[in-house]
Every structure is written in structure tokens, then in C-alpha cells.
């Protein structure tokens, strides 16, 4: 039996239709949600992600503003731009596309974003609130992953979730969100001994390692749910995940494709957060 494919594209379509309705309702009361995107340098992947985010905004009726800087920009210029956006009432969400050039301190940039406009959920205030279960902007990819598992009708309570990867953007927070859903969570990473012995215990395996085709059928328990967060560009220009999709789909119970899996859901959660930010800022 081959795995059921969880289509992020399909789920995103359904959710975005509902979000477009919410935007229409906000506009009817004079609130037009606005997202400011800050892009530094000329990394093609970052440019492509930003384009995708802006296109998705337009689709649901969110205004987006792009602020592009050369990779040589100094930190203070960037911080000044963020402070201006914090004060701009047409802007409800601020997103600084990562990674940033090495001479810029990422934490300094993130901490300058007003927490109430931090639609990525990266500010320490939002990270802390998420950790202790207070209302906060949830980071988009982890939130999208949990939403996908839930909408596929998969029960999370009591399940063993194994996370591969420990980044601040995906690995660490996705484990926390599953913990909130009453899963038992194990973190693994590039230094983990005998990775396969651990991943084979997973009922739900979240792969965010950033390594093309790291995970094969030998890493997966028959019937497990496999969520592939990886986005890698192969030499032939094609995108592929961290999971060997063709081989693993013969073992897993559910699997997400790349592209068309987690990516569209990440962007959908960004739209959701921006609408929430607009609603809350307008009510102040
Ligand atoms: N770079 C990779 N993923 C993300 C993300 O979710 N948000 C931002 N701002 N940058 C990223």
C-alpha cells in the first residue's frame, strides 16, 4: 500500500478562500490589512519566497509593501526602516526574510520588530508566549505543519512525534506546538547517534534537516506520518525535500510532497497572522 498524500496546495486553497472573506469583512469596516516585507541581498531562494508571499497576499486582498536592500546595507539602516514600519499605521505585519548577511545581527533585527506586528512569530516575546501557551503569533511553518496533520484527520494526542532539525524557525518551535497538542516529542539533529533507530519509533516524523533526500524508507516505521519541511534545489534545477519521496511513500501511511506540501501552508499561516494583526491593531 502506498501512503496517502497530504496536499498542502489543496488545504491552502480552502483556507485562503476563507481568509479572503475575512479580509473583505475587515475592508468593509475600513481596515485594509498590510504586510511589509524586508528583503536584503540577492539570494535567489529568498527572492522566490518573497515573490510567493506577495502573490499570496494579493490573492486574498492583503496589501504588501516590499523594502529591498543591497547585501551591503548596514544594520542601522535596516533597524531604522523597521522602526519606521513599526510606526506606520498602514502596516500590520512586518516580515524580514531570513537569512541575513553575516555582518547583520539577526537577533537585533528581530528584536526591533514590534511584537504586535511580528507575523513570523520570531520575536523573543512571541517565542516565550508560545512556549508557555499564551496567545501569540505562531511561527508560520510549524503552525502550518500542525494544521496539515490535524486537517488530514490524524490524531496527535499521545503520539510519538520525532523532529529532525533544531532551528529557531522550524525544528524547535514545531516540537513545542506538538507538545501543546499532547504528543510525546523527541528532538534529533545532525549530531544525533543512530538517527534511524530513533526516527523508526516515530508515529509522526517531522523532517526539517535541510539535506536533500536524507530520509529513506529505513528511517520510517510502516504506516507513519511523514512531513517533509525540506526545500532543496537539485543540480537539475528541480526542487526536492529532505525525504526520498518515491521510496518513503511505499512505507509511510501519510506523506507530504515537495513542492506542494508544507510550503503553501507556511504562506497561508503568514496571511492568517497578518489578518489577525490587522484585526487586533485596528481594535486598539
Ligand atoms: N527564511 C526561511 N523561512 C523563513 C520564514 O518563515 N520567515 C522568514 N522571515 N524568513 C525565512
Amino acid at each position: 500500500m502506498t501512503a496517502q498524500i497530504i496536499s498542502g496546495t489543496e488545504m491552502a486553497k480552502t483556507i485562503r478562500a476563507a481568509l479572503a472573506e475575512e479580509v473583505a469583512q475587515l475592508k468593509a469596516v475600513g481596515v485594509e490589512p498590510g504586510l511589509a516585507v524586508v528583503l536584503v541581498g540577492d539570494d535567489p531562494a529568498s527572492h522566490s519566497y518573497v515573490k510567493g508571499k506577495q502573490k499570496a497576499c494579493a490573492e486574498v486582498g492583503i496589501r504588501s509593501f516590499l523594502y529591498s536592500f543591497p547585501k551591503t546595507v548596514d544594520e542601522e539602516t535596516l533597524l531604522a526602516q523597521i522602526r519606521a514600519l513599526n510606526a506606520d499605521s498602514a502596516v500590520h505585519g512586518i516580515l524580514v526574510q531570513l537569512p541575513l548577511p553575516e555582518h547583520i545581527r539577526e537577533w537585533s533585527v528581530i528584536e526591533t520588530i514590534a511584537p504586535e506586528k511580528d507575523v513570523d512569530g520570531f520575536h523573543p516575546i512571541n517565542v516565550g508566549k508560545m512556549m508557555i501557551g499564551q496567545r501569540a503569533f505562531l511561527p508560520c511553518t510549524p503552525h502550518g505543519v500542525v494544521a496539515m496533520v490535524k486537517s488530514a484527520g490524524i490524531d496527535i494526542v499521545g503520539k510519538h512525534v520525532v523532529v529532525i532539525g533544531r532551528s529557531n524557525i522550524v525544528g524547535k518551535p514545531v516540537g513545542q506546538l506538538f507538545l501543546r497538542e499532547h504528543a510525546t516529542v523527541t528532538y534529533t539533529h545532525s549530531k544525533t547517534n543512530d538517527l534511524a533507530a530513533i526516527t523508526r519509533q516515530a508515529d509522526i516524523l517531522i523532517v526539517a534537516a535541510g539535506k536533500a533526500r536524507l530520509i529513506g524508507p529505513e528511517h520510517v516505521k510502516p504506516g507513519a506520518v511523514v512531513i517533509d519541511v525540506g526545500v532543496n534545489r537539485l543540480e537539475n534545477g528541480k526542487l526536492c525535500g529532505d525525504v526520498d519521496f518515491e521510496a518513503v511513500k511505499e512505507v509511510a501511511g501519510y506523506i507530504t510532497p515537495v513542492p506542494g506540501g508544507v510550503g503553501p501552508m507556511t504562506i497561508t499561516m503568514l496571511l492568517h497572522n497578518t489578518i489577525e494583526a490587522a484585526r487586533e491593531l485596528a481594535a486598539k
Side-chain angles (χ1 to χ4, degrees):
M1 250 216 359
T2 64
Q4 217 165 302
I5 293 168
I6 307 178
S7 167
T9 308
E10 287 302 310
M11 278 180 193
K13 214 166 159 184
T14 310
I15 302 171
R16 287 182 200 186
L19 293 178
E21 277 295 309
E22 287 184 39
V23 172
Q25 283 167 14
L26 280 170
K27 283 184 176 168
V29 296
V31 181
E32 184 174 17
L35 174 71
V37 178
V38 178
L39 178 60
V40 182
D42 44 21
D43 176 51
S46 288
H47 275 257
S48 150
Y49 291 145
V50 162
K51 228 185 213 170
K53 288 169 184 178
Q54 288 196 290
K55 182 164 165 268
C57 281
E59 257 173 50
V60 300
I62 295 174
R63 267 174 98 181
S64 70
F65 311 91
L66 178 63
Y67 296 85
S68 284
F69 293 91
K71 62 174 180 283
T72 51
V73 70
D74 60 284
E75 188 176 297
E76 191 41 47
T77 304
L78 219 47
L79 299 187
Q81 180 65 70
I82 292 168
R83 287 188 204 106
L85 295 170
N86 285 344
D88 185 341
S89 62
V91 170
H92 305 98
I94 301 171
L95 178 153
V96 179
Q97 186 64 31
L98 303 178
L100 291 168
E102 275 189 8
H103 67 278
I104 294 169
R105 297 169 302 170
E106 191 178 287
W107 63 266
S108 159
V109 169
I110 290 172
E111 287 186 15
T112 301
I113 299 171
E116 62 274 18
K117 294 191 177 185
D118 169 38
V119 287
D120 258 330
F122 291 167
H123 192 289
I125 293 262
N126 284 316
V127 176
K129 285 185 172 179
M130 177 203 66
M131 284 279 292
I132 61 176
Q134 285 186 8
R135 252 177 81 77
F137 288 118
L138 300 180
C140 302
T141 300
H143 192 191
V145 167
V146 174
M148 280 179 100
V149 172
K150 281 186 171 176
S151 352
I154 295 156
D155 193 18
I156 299 172
V157 178
K159 296 288 168 59
H160 188 190
V161 171
V162 175
V163 178
I164 310 178
R166 51 176 160 173
S167 70
N168 290 335
I169 295 183
V170 184
K172 280 181 211 159
V174 82
Q176 285 298 319
L177 293 187
F178 275 106
L179 190 61
R180 263 168 66 159
E181 299 292 331
H182 312 290
T184 300
V185 178
T186 300
Y187 285 100
T188 67
H189 46 78
S190 55
K191 304 266 193 298
T192 296
N193 290 334
D194 200 356
L195 181 67
I198 299 170
T199 58
R200 275 200 303 269
Q201 297 172 34
D203 300 309
I204 302 172
L205 181 60
I206 311 296
V207 191
K211 215 168 167 188
R213 301 207 179 104
L214 172 74
I215 297 305
E218 71 279 14
H219 293 90
V220 177
K221 176 166 79 176
V225 180
V226 179
I227 308 290
D228 189 352
V229 185
V231 184
N232 307 288
R233 187 145 325 250
L234 297 174
E235 276 179 12
N236 63 11
K238 280 197 176 163
L239 285 186
C240 88
D242 292 351
V243 175
D244 182 351
F245 181 84
E246 290 305 322
V248 171
K249 82 177 189 329
E250 302 303 323
V251 180
Y254 293 84
I255 190 167
T256 63
V258 178
V262 174
M265 287 296 284
T266 292
I267 298 182
T268 302
M269 292 307 162
L270 172 69
L271 304 175
H272 165 84
N273 283 352
T274 303
I275 295 166
E276 278 307 299
R279 205 194 309 281
E280 288 185 12
L281 288 165
K284 274 191 179 167

